[in-house]
mmCIF file with all atom_site columns, all heavy atoms in Angstrom:
data_model
loop_
_atom_site.group_PDB
_atom_site.id
_atom_site.type_symbol
_atom_site.label_atom_id
_atom_site.label_alt_id
_atom_site.label_comp_id
_atom_site.label_asym_id
_atom_site.label_entity_id
_atom_site.label_seq_id
_atom_site.pdbx_PDB_ins_code
_atom_site.Cartn_x
_atom_site.Cartn_y
_atom_site.Cartn_z
_atom_site.occupancy
_atom_site.B_iso_or_equiv
_atom_site.pdbx_formal_charge
_atom_site.auth_seq_id
_atom_site.auth_comp_id
_atom_site.auth_asym_id
_atom_site.auth_atom_id
_atom_site.pdbx_PDB_model_num
ATOM 1   N N   . LEU A 1 1  ? -32.478 -2.944  -17.176 1.00 91.00 ? 1  LEU A N   1
ATOM 2   C CA  . LEU A 1 1  ? -33.780 -3.582  -16.965 1.00 91.00 ? 1  LEU A CA  1
ATOM 3   C C   . LEU A 1 1  ? -34.769 -3.280  -18.081 1.00 91.00 ? 1  LEU A C   1
ATOM 4   O O   . LEU A 1 1  ? -35.937 -3.670  -18.002 1.00 91.00 ? 1  LEU A O   1
ATOM 5   C CB  . LEU A 1 1  ? -34.361 -3.140  -15.617 1.00 91.00 ? 1  LEU A CB  1
ATOM 6   C CG  . LEU A 1 1  ? -33.529 -3.480  -14.378 1.00 91.00 ? 1  LEU A CG  1
ATOM 7   C CD1 . LEU A 1 1  ? -34.224 -2.988  -13.113 1.00 91.00 ? 1  LEU A CD1 1
ATOM 8   C CD2 . LEU A 1 1  ? -33.253 -4.971  -14.282 1.00 91.00 ? 1  LEU A CD2 1
ATOM 9   N N   . ASN A 1 2  ? -34.315 -2.601  -19.119 1.00 95.00 ? 2  ASN A N   1
ATOM 10  C CA  . ASN A 1 2  ? -35.199 -2.291  -20.249 1.00 95.00 ? 2  ASN A CA  1
ATOM 11  C C   . ASN A 1 2  ? -35.670 -3.552  -20.970 1.00 95.00 ? 2  ASN A C   1
ATOM 12  O O   . ASN A 1 2  ? -35.114 -4.642  -20.788 1.00 95.00 ? 2  ASN A O   1
ATOM 13  C CB  . ASN A 1 2  ? -34.456 -1.416  -21.261 1.00 95.00 ? 2  ASN A CB  1
ATOM 14  C CG  . ASN A 1 2  ? -34.546 0.063   -20.939 1.00 95.00 ? 2  ASN A CG  1
ATOM 15  O OD1 . ASN A 1 2  ? -34.865 0.441   -19.820 1.00 95.00 ? 2  ASN A OD1 1
ATOM 16  N ND2 . ASN A 1 2  ? -34.254 0.900   -21.915 1.00 95.00 ? 2  ASN A ND2 1
ATOM 17  N N   . THR A 1 3  ? -36.670 -3.381  -21.821 1.00 97.00 ? 3  THR A N   1
ATOM 18  C CA  . THR A 1 3  ? -37.125 -4.441  -22.723 1.00 97.00 ? 3  THR A CA  1
ATOM 19  C C   . THR A 1 3  ? -36.318 -4.363  -24.015 1.00 97.00 ? 3  THR A C   1
ATOM 20  O O   . THR A 1 3  ? -36.169 -3.283  -24.587 1.00 97.00 ? 3  THR A O   1
ATOM 21  C CB  . THR A 1 3  ? -38.619 -4.267  -23.041 1.00 97.00 ? 3  THR A CB  1
ATOM 22  O OG1 . THR A 1 3  ? -39.369 -4.382  -21.824 1.00 97.00 ? 3  THR A OG1 1
ATOM 23  C CG2 . THR A 1 3  ? -39.093 -5.312  -24.047 1.00 97.00 ? 3  THR A CG2 1
ATOM 24  N N   . TYR A 1 4  ? -35.787 -5.488  -24.457 1.00 98.00 ? 4  TYR A N   1
ATOM 25  C CA  . TYR A 1 4  ? -35.003 -5.535  -25.696 1.00 98.00 ? 4  TYR A CA  1
ATOM 26  C C   . TYR A 1 4  ? -35.484 -6.681  -26.580 1.00 98.00 ? 4  TYR A C   1
ATOM 27  O O   . TYR A 1 4  ? -36.105 -7.644  -26.103 1.00 98.00 ? 4  TYR A O   1
ATOM 28  C CB  . TYR A 1 4  ? -33.511 -5.723  -25.387 1.00 98.00 ? 4  TYR A CB  1
ATOM 29  C CG  . TYR A 1 4  ? -32.913 -4.573  -24.608 1.00 98.00 ? 4  TYR A CG  1
ATOM 30  C CD1 . TYR A 1 4  ? -32.616 -4.701  -23.247 1.00 98.00 ? 4  TYR A CD1 1
ATOM 31  C CD2 . TYR A 1 4  ? -32.652 -3.350  -25.222 1.00 98.00 ? 4  TYR A CD2 1
ATOM 32  C CE1 . TYR A 1 4  ? -32.085 -3.646  -22.528 1.00 98.00 ? 4  TYR A CE1 1
ATOM 33  C CE2 . TYR A 1 4  ? -32.115 -2.288  -24.510 1.00 98.00 ? 4  TYR A CE2 1
ATOM 34  C CZ  . TYR A 1 4  ? -31.834 -2.441  -23.165 1.00 98.00 ? 4  TYR A CZ  1
ATOM 35  O OH  . TYR A 1 4  ? -31.309 -1.386  -22.463 1.00 98.00 ? 4  TYR A OH  1
ATOM 36  N N   . GLN A 1 5  ? -35.156 -6.567  -27.855 1.00 98.00 ? 5  GLN A N   1
ATOM 37  C CA  . GLN A 1 5  ? -35.389 -7.644  -28.826 1.00 98.00 ? 5  GLN A CA  1
ATOM 38  C C   . GLN A 1 5  ? -34.039 -7.941  -29.457 1.00 98.00 ? 5  GLN A C   1
ATOM 39  O O   . GLN A 1 5  ? -33.752 -7.601  -30.602 1.00 98.00 ? 5  GLN A O   1
ATOM 40  C CB  . GLN A 1 5  ? -36.436 -7.190  -29.850 1.00 98.00 ? 5  GLN A CB  1
ATOM 41  C CG  . GLN A 1 5  ? -37.808 -7.033  -29.207 1.00 98.00 ? 5  GLN A CG  1
ATOM 42  C CD  . GLN A 1 5  ? -38.653 -5.941  -29.820 1.00 98.00 ? 5  GLN A CD  1
ATOM 43  O OE1 . GLN A 1 5  ? -38.378 -5.465  -30.912 1.00 98.00 ? 5  GLN A OE1 1
ATOM 44  N NE2 . GLN A 1 5  ? -39.701 -5.517  -29.116 1.00 98.00 ? 5  GLN A NE2 1
ATOM 45  N N   . ALA A 1 6  ? -33.191 -8.555  -28.646 1.00 98.00 ? 6  ALA A N   1
ATOM 46  C CA  . ALA A 1 6  ? -31.780 -8.734  -28.970 1.00 98.00 ? 6  ALA A CA  1
ATOM 47  C C   . ALA A 1 6  ? -31.527 -10.083 -29.630 1.00 98.00 ? 6  ALA A C   1
ATOM 48  O O   . ALA A 1 6  ? -32.363 -10.995 -29.598 1.00 98.00 ? 6  ALA A O   1
ATOM 49  C CB  . ALA A 1 6  ? -30.940 -8.605  -27.698 1.00 98.00 ? 6  ALA A CB  1
ATOM 50  N N   . ALA A 1 7  ? -30.328 -10.202 -30.207 1.00 98.00 ? 7  ALA A N   1
ATOM 51  C CA  . ALA A 1 7  ? -29.962 -11.418 -30.940 1.00 98.00 ? 7  ALA A CA  1
ATOM 52  C C   . ALA A 1 7  ? -30.138 -12.701 -30.121 1.00 98.00 ? 7  ALA A C   1
ATOM 53  O O   . ALA A 1 7  ? -30.677 -13.689 -30.636 1.00 98.00 ? 7  ALA A O   1
ATOM 54  C CB  . ALA A 1 7  ? -28.532 -11.298 -31.454 1.00 98.00 ? 7  ALA A CB  1
ATOM 55  N N   . PRO A 1 8  ? -29.684 -12.748 -28.840 1.00 98.00 ? 8  PRO A N   1
ATOM 56  C CA  . PRO A 1 8  ? -29.855 -14.004 -28.088 1.00 98.00 ? 8  PRO A CA  1
ATOM 57  C C   . PRO A 1 8  ? -31.316 -14.430 -27.967 1.00 98.00 ? 8  PRO A C   1
ATOM 58  O O   . PRO A 1 8  ? -31.634 -15.623 -28.049 1.00 98.00 ? 8  PRO A O   1
ATOM 59  C CB  . PRO A 1 8  ? -29.261 -13.671 -26.714 1.00 98.00 ? 8  PRO A CB  1
ATOM 60  C CG  . PRO A 1 8  ? -28.368 -12.514 -26.942 1.00 98.00 ? 8  PRO A CG  1
ATOM 61  C CD  . PRO A 1 8  ? -28.986 -11.723 -28.045 1.00 98.00 ? 8  PRO A CD  1
ATOM 62  N N   . ALA A 1 9  ? -32.207 -13.454 -27.797 1.00 98.00 ? 9  ALA A N   1
ATOM 63  C CA  . ALA A 1 9  ? -33.636 -13.776 -27.666 1.00 98.00 ? 9  ALA A CA  1
ATOM 64  C C   . ALA A 1 9  ? -34.234 -14.177 -29.007 1.00 98.00 ? 9  ALA A C   1
ATOM 65  O O   . ALA A 1 9  ? -35.004 -15.146 -29.099 1.00 98.00 ? 9  ALA A O   1
ATOM 66  C CB  . ALA A 1 9  ? -34.390 -12.582 -27.087 1.00 98.00 ? 9  ALA A CB  1
ATOM 67  N N   . ILE A 1 10 ? -33.888 -13.443 -30.063 1.00 98.00 ? 10 ILE A N   1
ATOM 68  C CA  . ILE A 1 10 ? -34.408 -13.760 -31.399 1.00 98.00 ? 10 ILE A CA  1
ATOM 69  C C   . ILE A 1 10 ? -34.001 -15.174 -31.800 1.00 98.00 ? 10 ILE A C   1
ATOM 70  O O   . ILE A 1 10 ? -34.828 -15.984 -32.234 1.00 98.00 ? 10 ILE A O   1
ATOM 71  C CB  . ILE A 1 10 ? -33.895 -12.743 -32.430 1.00 98.00 ? 10 ILE A CB  1
ATOM 72  C CG1 . ILE A 1 10 ? -34.453 -11.345 -32.135 1.00 98.00 ? 10 ILE A CG1 1
ATOM 73  C CG2 . ILE A 1 10 ? -34.267 -13.166 -33.845 1.00 98.00 ? 10 ILE A CG2 1
ATOM 74  C CD1 . ILE A 1 10 ? -33.818 -10.231 -32.957 1.00 98.00 ? 10 ILE A CD1 1
ATOM 75  N N   . LEU A 1 11 ? -32.715 -15.480 -31.635 1.00 98.00 ? 11 LEU A N   1
ATOM 76  C CA  . LEU A 1 11 ? -32.216 -16.798 -32.046 1.00 98.00 ? 11 LEU A CA  1
ATOM 77  C C   . LEU A 1 11 ? -32.606 -17.880 -31.052 1.00 98.00 ? 11 LEU A C   1
ATOM 78  O O   . LEU A 1 11 ? -32.778 -19.046 -31.437 1.00 98.00 ? 11 LEU A O   1
ATOM 79  C CB  . LEU A 1 11 ? -30.699 -16.746 -32.225 1.00 98.00 ? 11 LEU A CB  1
ATOM 80  C CG  . LEU A 1 11 ? -30.217 -15.805 -33.342 1.00 98.00 ? 11 LEU A CG  1
ATOM 81  C CD1 . LEU A 1 11 ? -28.695 -15.766 -33.408 1.00 98.00 ? 11 LEU A CD1 1
ATOM 82  C CD2 . LEU A 1 11 ? -30.798 -16.239 -34.689 1.00 98.00 ? 11 LEU A CD2 1
ATOM 83  N N   . GLY A 1 12 ? -32.766 -17.490 -29.788 1.00 97.00 ? 12 GLY A N   1
ATOM 84  C CA  . GLY A 1 12 ? -33.202 -18.465 -28.781 1.00 97.00 ? 12 GLY A CA  1
ATOM 85  C C   . GLY A 1 12 ? -34.566 -19.028 -29.104 1.00 97.00 ? 12 GLY A C   1
ATOM 86  O O   . GLY A 1 12 ? -34.873 -20.188 -28.795 1.00 97.00 ? 12 GLY A O   1
ATOM 87  N N   . GLN A 1 13 ? -35.406 -18.225 -29.747 1.00 97.00 ? 13 GLN A N   1
ATOM 88  C CA  . GLN A 1 13 ? -36.741 -18.681 -30.139 1.00 97.00 ? 13 GLN A CA  1
ATOM 89  C C   . GLN A 1 13 ? -36.716 -19.448 -31.455 1.00 97.00 ? 13 GLN A C   1
ATOM 90  O O   . GLN A 1 13 ? -37.757 -19.855 -31.966 1.00 97.00 ? 13 GLN A O   1
ATOM 91  C CB  . GLN A 1 13 ? -37.672 -17.461 -30.193 1.00 97.00 ? 13 GLN A CB  1
ATOM 92  C CG  . GLN A 1 13 ? -37.889 -16.871 -28.795 1.00 97.00 ? 13 GLN A CG  1
ATOM 93  C CD  . GLN A 1 13 ? -38.595 -15.533 -28.791 1.00 97.00 ? 13 GLN A CD  1
ATOM 94  O OE1 . GLN A 1 13 ? -39.415 -15.244 -29.662 1.00 97.00 ? 13 GLN A OE1 1
ATOM 95  N NE2 . GLN A 1 13 ? -38.289 -14.697 -27.804 1.00 97.00 ? 13 GLN A NE2 1
ATOM 96  N N   . GLN A 1 14 ? -35.495 -19.636 -31.987 1.00 97.00 ? 14 GLN A N   1
ATOM 97  C CA  . GLN A 1 14 ? -35.304 -20.481 -33.174 1.00 97.00 ? 14 GLN A CA  1
ATOM 98  C C   . GLN A 1 14 ? -34.464 -21.715 -32.841 1.00 97.00 ? 14 GLN A C   1
ATOM 99  O O   . GLN A 1 14 ? -33.938 -22.377 -33.732 1.00 97.00 ? 14 GLN A O   1
ATOM 100 C CB  . GLN A 1 14 ? -34.619 -19.668 -34.278 1.00 97.00 ? 14 GLN A CB  1
ATOM 101 C CG  . GLN A 1 14 ? -35.431 -18.474 -34.757 1.00 97.00 ? 14 GLN A CG  1
ATOM 102 C CD  . GLN A 1 14 ? -34.701 -17.640 -35.797 1.00 97.00 ? 14 GLN A CD  1
ATOM 103 O OE1 . GLN A 1 14 ? -33.752 -18.110 -36.427 1.00 97.00 ? 14 GLN A OE1 1
ATOM 104 N NE2 . GLN A 1 14 ? -35.132 -16.406 -35.997 1.00 97.00 ? 14 GLN A NE2 1
ATOM 105 N N   . GLY A 1 15 ? -34.319 -21.979 -31.527 1.00 97.00 ? 15 GLY A N   1
ATOM 106 C CA  . GLY A 1 15 ? -33.637 -23.201 -31.109 1.00 97.00 ? 15 GLY A CA  1
ATOM 107 C C   . GLY A 1 15 ? -32.179 -23.038 -30.737 1.00 97.00 ? 15 GLY A C   1
ATOM 108 O O   . GLY A 1 15 ? -31.501 -24.032 -30.445 1.00 97.00 ? 15 GLY A O   1
ATOM 109 N N   . TYR A 1 16 ? -31.679 -21.822 -30.704 1.00 98.00 ? 16 TYR A N   1
ATOM 110 C CA  . TYR A 1 16 ? -30.279 -21.588 -30.342 1.00 98.00 ? 16 TYR A CA  1
ATOM 111 C C   . TYR A 1 16 ? -30.119 -21.489 -28.824 1.00 98.00 ? 16 TYR A C   1
ATOM 112 O O   . TYR A 1 16 ? -30.989 -20.978 -28.117 1.00 98.00 ? 16 TYR A O   1
ATOM 113 C CB  . TYR A 1 16 ? -29.772 -20.283 -30.964 1.00 98.00 ? 16 TYR A CB  1
ATOM 114 C CG  . TYR A 1 16 ? -29.349 -20.404 -32.412 1.00 98.00 ? 16 TYR A CG  1
ATOM 115 C CD1 . TYR A 1 16 ? -30.296 -20.539 -33.421 1.00 98.00 ? 16 TYR A CD1 1
ATOM 116 C CD2 . TYR A 1 16 ? -28.007 -20.372 -32.762 1.00 98.00 ? 16 TYR A CD2 1
ATOM 117 C CE1 . TYR A 1 16 ? -29.924 -20.640 -34.749 1.00 98.00 ? 16 TYR A CE1 1
ATOM 118 C CE2 . TYR A 1 16 ? -27.612 -20.471 -34.091 1.00 98.00 ? 16 TYR A CE2 1
ATOM 119 C CZ  . TYR A 1 16 ? -28.573 -20.610 -35.084 1.00 98.00 ? 16 TYR A CZ  1
ATOM 120 O OH  . TYR A 1 16 ? -28.186 -20.721 -36.399 1.00 98.00 ? 16 TYR A OH  1
ATOM 121 N N   . THR A 1 17 ? -28.971 -21.964 -28.333 1.00 98.00 ? 17 THR A N   1
ATOM 122 C CA  . THR A 1 17 ? -28.550 -21.742 -26.950 1.00 98.00 ? 17 THR A CA  1
ATOM 123 C C   . THR A 1 17 ? -27.503 -20.634 -26.973 1.00 98.00 ? 17 THR A C   1
ATOM 124 O O   . THR A 1 17 ? -26.564 -20.677 -27.770 1.00 98.00 ? 17 THR A O   1
ATOM 125 C CB  . THR A 1 17 ? -27.931 -23.013 -26.338 1.00 98.00 ? 17 THR A CB  1
ATOM 126 O OG1 . THR A 1 17 ? -28.912 -24.051 -26.333 1.00 98.00 ? 17 THR A OG1 1
ATOM 127 C CG2 . THR A 1 17 ? -27.452 -22.754 -24.913 1.00 98.00 ? 17 THR A CG2 1
ATOM 128 N N   . SER A 1 18 ? -27.649 -19.637 -26.109 1.00 98.00 ? 18 SER A N   1
ATOM 129 C CA  . SER A 1 18 ? -26.741 -18.484 -26.139 1.00 98.00 ? 18 SER A CA  1
ATOM 130 C C   . SER A 1 18 ? -25.876 -18.431 -24.894 1.00 98.00 ? 18 SER A C   1
ATOM 131 O O   . SER A 1 18 ? -26.304 -18.802 -23.796 1.00 98.00 ? 18 SER A O   1
ATOM 132 C CB  . SER A 1 18 ? -27.543 -17.189 -26.272 1.00 98.00 ? 18 SER A CB  1
ATOM 133 O OG  . SER A 1 18 ? -28.527 -17.101 -25.260 1.00 98.00 ? 18 SER A OG  1
ATOM 134 N N   . ALA A 1 19 ? -24.649 -17.955 -25.062 1.00 98.00 ? 19 ALA A N   1
ATOM 135 C CA  . ALA A 1 19 ? -23.721 -17.870 -23.932 1.00 98.00 ? 19 ALA A CA  1
ATOM 136 C C   . ALA A 1 19 ? -22.652 -16.823 -24.200 1.00 98.00 ? 19 ALA A C   1
ATOM 137 O O   . ALA A 1 19 ? -22.237 -16.610 -25.341 1.00 98.00 ? 19 ALA A O   1
ATOM 138 C CB  . ALA A 1 19 ? -23.059 -19.222 -23.670 1.00 98.00 ? 19 ALA A CB  1
ATOM 139 N N   . VAL A 1 20 ? -22.213 -16.184 -23.117 1.00 98.00 ? 20 VAL A N   1
ATOM 140 C CA  . VAL A 1 20 ? -21.078 -15.263 -23.157 1.00 98.00 ? 20 VAL A CA  1
ATOM 141 C C   . VAL A 1 20 ? -19.970 -15.838 -22.303 1.00 98.00 ? 20 VAL A C   1
ATOM 142 O O   . VAL A 1 20 ? -20.221 -16.376 -21.213 1.00 98.00 ? 20 VAL A O   1
ATOM 143 C CB  . VAL A 1 20 ? -21.460 -13.866 -22.624 1.00 98.00 ? 20 VAL A CB  1
ATOM 144 C CG1 . VAL A 1 20 ? -20.253 -12.927 -22.681 1.00 98.00 ? 20 VAL A CG1 1
ATOM 145 C CG2 . VAL A 1 20 ? -22.608 -13.280 -23.411 1.00 98.00 ? 20 VAL A CG2 1
ATOM 146 N N   . PHE A 1 21 ? -18.736 -15.690 -22.770 1.00 98.00 ? 21 PHE A N   1
ATOM 147 C CA  . PHE A 1 21 ? -17.552 -16.151 -22.052 1.00 98.00 ? 21 PHE A CA  1
ATOM 148 C C   . PHE A 1 21 ? -16.681 -14.935 -21.753 1.00 98.00 ? 21 PHE A C   1
ATOM 149 O O   . PHE A 1 21 ? -16.310 -14.187 -22.673 1.00 98.00 ? 21 PHE A O   1
ATOM 150 C CB  . PHE A 1 21 ? -16.762 -17.150 -22.898 1.00 98.00 ? 21 PHE A CB  1
ATOM 151 C CG  . PHE A 1 21 ? -17.550 -18.367 -23.320 1.00 98.00 ? 21 PHE A CG  1
ATOM 152 C CD1 . PHE A 1 21 ? -18.460 -18.292 -24.372 1.00 98.00 ? 21 PHE A CD1 1
ATOM 153 C CD2 . PHE A 1 21 ? -17.392 -19.574 -22.664 1.00 98.00 ? 21 PHE A CD2 1
ATOM 154 C CE1 . PHE A 1 21 ? -19.190 -19.406 -24.764 1.00 98.00 ? 21 PHE A CE1 1
ATOM 155 C CE2 . PHE A 1 21 ? -18.118 -20.701 -23.049 1.00 98.00 ? 21 PHE A CE2 1
ATOM 156 C CZ  . PHE A 1 21 ? -19.024 -20.611 -24.107 1.00 98.00 ? 21 PHE A CZ  1
ATOM 157 N N   . HIS A 1 22 ? -16.344 -14.743 -20.464 1.00 97.00 ? 22 HIS A N   1
ATOM 158 C CA  . HIS A 1 22 ? -15.564 -13.554 -20.087 1.00 97.00 ? 22 HIS A CA  1
ATOM 159 C C   . HIS A 1 22 ? -14.836 -13.829 -18.776 1.00 97.00 ? 22 HIS A C   1
ATOM 160 O O   . HIS A 1 22 ? -15.478 -14.075 -17.757 1.00 97.00 ? 22 HIS A O   1
ATOM 161 C CB  . HIS A 1 22 ? -16.505 -12.355 -19.931 1.00 97.00 ? 22 HIS A CB  1
ATOM 162 C CG  . HIS A 1 22 ? -15.813 -11.064 -19.618 1.00 97.00 ? 22 HIS A CG  1
ATOM 163 N ND1 . HIS A 1 22 ? -14.669 -10.651 -20.257 1.00 97.00 ? 22 HIS A ND1 1
ATOM 164 C CD2 . HIS A 1 22 ? -16.120 -10.075 -18.733 1.00 97.00 ? 22 HIS A CD2 1
ATOM 165 C CE1 . HIS A 1 22 ? -14.304 -9.467  -19.794 1.00 97.00 ? 22 HIS A CE1 1
ATOM 166 N NE2 . HIS A 1 22 ? -15.163 -9.105  -18.863 1.00 97.00 ? 22 HIS A NE2 1
ATOM 167 N N   . GLY A 1 23 ? -13.535 -13.788 -18.802 1.00 96.00 ? 23 GLY A N   1
ATOM 168 C CA  . GLY A 1 23 ? -12.731 -14.122 -17.624 1.00 96.00 ? 23 GLY A CA  1
ATOM 169 C C   . GLY A 1 23 ? -12.550 -12.964 -16.675 1.00 96.00 ? 23 GLY A C   1
ATOM 170 O O   . GLY A 1 23 ? -11.428 -12.652 -16.252 1.00 96.00 ? 23 GLY A O   1
ATOM 171 N N   . ASN A 1 24 ? -13.636 -12.303 -16.318 1.00 93.00 ? 24 ASN A N   1
ATOM 172 C CA  . ASN A 1 24 ? -13.587 -11.176 -15.390 1.00 93.00 ? 24 ASN A CA  1
ATOM 173 C C   . ASN A 1 24 ? -14.877 -11.178 -14.572 1.00 93.00 ? 24 ASN A C   1
ATOM 174 O O   . ASN A 1 24 ? -15.764 -12.001 -14.790 1.00 93.00 ? 24 ASN A O   1
ATOM 175 C CB  . ASN A 1 24 ? -13.437 -9.855  -16.167 1.00 93.00 ? 24 ASN A CB  1
ATOM 176 C CG  . ASN A 1 24 ? -13.046 -8.692  -15.271 1.00 93.00 ? 24 ASN A CG  1
ATOM 177 O OD1 . ASN A 1 24 ? -12.749 -8.867  -14.094 1.00 93.00 ? 24 ASN A OD1 1
ATOM 178 N ND2 . ASN A 1 24 ? -13.060 -7.486  -15.818 1.00 93.00 ? 24 ASN A ND2 1
ATOM 179 N N   . SER A 1 25 ? -15.003 -10.238 -13.667 1.00 89.00 ? 25 SER A N   1
ATOM 180 C CA  . SER A 1 25 ? -16.187 -10.143 -12.820 1.00 89.00 ? 25 SER A CA  1
ATOM 181 C C   . SER A 1 25 ? -17.449 -9.982  -13.653 1.00 89.00 ? 25 SER A C   1
ATOM 182 O O   . SER A 1 25 ? -17.496 -9.183  -14.596 1.00 89.00 ? 25 SER A O   1
ATOM 183 C CB  . SER A 1 25 ? -16.041 -8.957  -11.865 1.00 89.00 ? 25 SER A CB  1
ATOM 184 O OG  . SER A 1 25 ? -17.264 -8.677  -11.227 1.00 89.00 ? 25 SER A OG  1
ATOM 185 N N   . GLY A 1 26 ? -18.476 -10.709 -13.288 1.00 90.00 ? 26 GLY A N   1
ATOM 186 C CA  . GLY A 1 26 ? -19.738 -10.639 -14.016 1.00 90.00 ? 26 GLY A CA  1
ATOM 187 C C   . GLY A 1 26 ? -20.444 -9.312  -13.863 1.00 90.00 ? 26 GLY A C   1
ATOM 188 O O   . GLY A 1 26 ? -21.274 -8.942  -14.693 1.00 90.00 ? 26 GLY A O   1
ATOM 189 N N   . SER A 1 27 ? -20.108 -8.553  -12.810 1.00 87.00 ? 27 SER A N   1
ATOM 190 C CA  . SER A 1 27 ? -20.771 -7.274  -12.576 1.00 87.00 ? 27 SER A CA  1
ATOM 191 C C   . SER A 1 27 ? -20.155 -6.135  -13.379 1.00 87.00 ? 27 SER A C   1
ATOM 192 O O   . SER A 1 27 ? -20.730 -5.047  -13.448 1.00 87.00 ? 27 SER A O   1
ATOM 193 C CB  . SER A 1 27 ? -20.728 -6.924  -11.082 1.00 87.00 ? 27 SER A CB  1
ATOM 194 O OG  . SER A 1 27 ? -19.390 -6.750  -10.647 1.00 87.00 ? 27 SER A OG  1
ATOM 195 N N   . PHE A 1 28 ? -18.986 -6.377  -13.979 1.00 87.00 ? 28 PHE A N   1
ATOM 196 C CA  . PHE A 1 28 ? -18.352 -5.318  -14.760 1.00 87.00 ? 28 PHE A CA  1
ATOM 197 C C   . PHE A 1 28 ? -19.270 -4.936  -15.917 1.00 87.00 ? 28 PHE A C   1
ATOM 198 O O   . PHE A 1 28 ? -19.729 -5.780  -16.672 1.00 87.00 ? 28 PHE A O   1
ATOM 199 C CB  . PHE A 1 28 ? -16.997 -5.820  -15.281 1.00 87.00 ? 28 PHE A CB  1
ATOM 200 C CG  . PHE A 1 28 ? -16.076 -4.710  -15.723 1.00 87.00 ? 28 PHE A CG  1
ATOM 201 C CD1 . PHE A 1 28 ? -15.217 -4.104  -14.821 1.00 87.00 ? 28 PHE A CD1 1
ATOM 202 C CD2 . PHE A 1 28 ? -16.066 -4.276  -17.032 1.00 87.00 ? 28 PHE A CD2 1
ATOM 203 C CE1 . PHE A 1 28 ? -14.362 -3.089  -15.225 1.00 87.00 ? 28 PHE A CE1 1
ATOM 204 C CE2 . PHE A 1 28 ? -15.221 -3.266  -17.446 1.00 87.00 ? 28 PHE A CE2 1
ATOM 205 C CZ  . PHE A 1 28 ? -14.362 -2.660  -16.538 1.00 87.00 ? 28 PHE A CZ  1
ATOM 206 N N   . TRP A 1 29 ? -19.525 -3.647  -16.061 1.00 88.00 ? 29 TRP A N   1
ATOM 207 C CA  . TRP A 1 29 ? -20.493 -3.106  -17.034 1.00 88.00 ? 29 TRP A CA  1
ATOM 208 C C   . TRP A 1 29 ? -21.903 -3.648  -16.789 1.00 88.00 ? 29 TRP A C   1
ATOM 209 O O   . TRP A 1 29 ? -22.730 -3.638  -17.696 1.00 88.00 ? 29 TRP A O   1
ATOM 210 C CB  . TRP A 1 29 ? -20.077 -3.386  -18.475 1.00 88.00 ? 29 TRP A CB  1
ATOM 211 C CG  . TRP A 1 29 ? -18.919 -2.602  -18.989 1.00 88.00 ? 29 TRP A CG  1
ATOM 212 C CD1 . TRP A 1 29 ? -17.763 -3.095  -19.527 1.00 88.00 ? 29 TRP A CD1 1
ATOM 213 C CD2 . TRP A 1 29 ? -18.791 -1.174  -19.059 1.00 88.00 ? 29 TRP A CD2 1
ATOM 214 N NE1 . TRP A 1 29 ? -16.919 -2.074  -19.906 1.00 88.00 ? 29 TRP A NE1 1
ATOM 215 C CE2 . TRP A 1 29 ? -17.519 -0.885  -19.631 1.00 88.00 ? 29 TRP A CE2 1
ATOM 216 C CE3 . TRP A 1 29 ? -19.619 -0.110  -18.684 1.00 88.00 ? 29 TRP A CE3 1
ATOM 217 C CZ2 . TRP A 1 29 ? -17.065 0.425   -19.836 1.00 88.00 ? 29 TRP A CZ2 1
ATOM 218 C CZ3 . TRP A 1 29 ? -19.163 1.184   -18.885 1.00 88.00 ? 29 TRP A CZ3 1
ATOM 219 C CH2 . TRP A 1 29 ? -17.906 1.430   -19.455 1.00 88.00 ? 29 TRP A CH2 1
ATOM 220 N N   . ASN A 1 30 ? -22.168 -4.178  -15.594 1.00 88.00 ? 30 ASN A N   1
ATOM 221 C CA  . ASN A 1 30 ? -23.524 -4.649  -15.266 1.00 88.00 ? 30 ASN A CA  1
ATOM 222 C C   . ASN A 1 30 ? -23.955 -5.816  -16.159 1.00 88.00 ? 30 ASN A C   1
ATOM 223 O O   . ASN A 1 30 ? -25.145 -6.056  -16.372 1.00 88.00 ? 30 ASN A O   1
ATOM 224 C CB  . ASN A 1 30 ? -24.525 -3.488  -15.403 1.00 88.00 ? 30 ASN A CB  1
ATOM 225 C CG  . ASN A 1 30 ? -25.847 -3.741  -14.722 1.00 88.00 ? 30 ASN A CG  1
ATOM 226 O OD1 . ASN A 1 30 ? -25.904 -4.306  -13.632 1.00 88.00 ? 30 ASN A OD1 1
ATOM 227 N ND2 . ASN A 1 30 ? -26.931 -3.343  -15.368 1.00 88.00 ? 30 ASN A ND2 1
#
């Protein structure tokens, strides 16, 4: 729940759409 300035957010504000693909439970590693 921390505040971050991560790549998806930085690039999202430049018009990028971000997505992760993972064939396992979404809760794994939170």
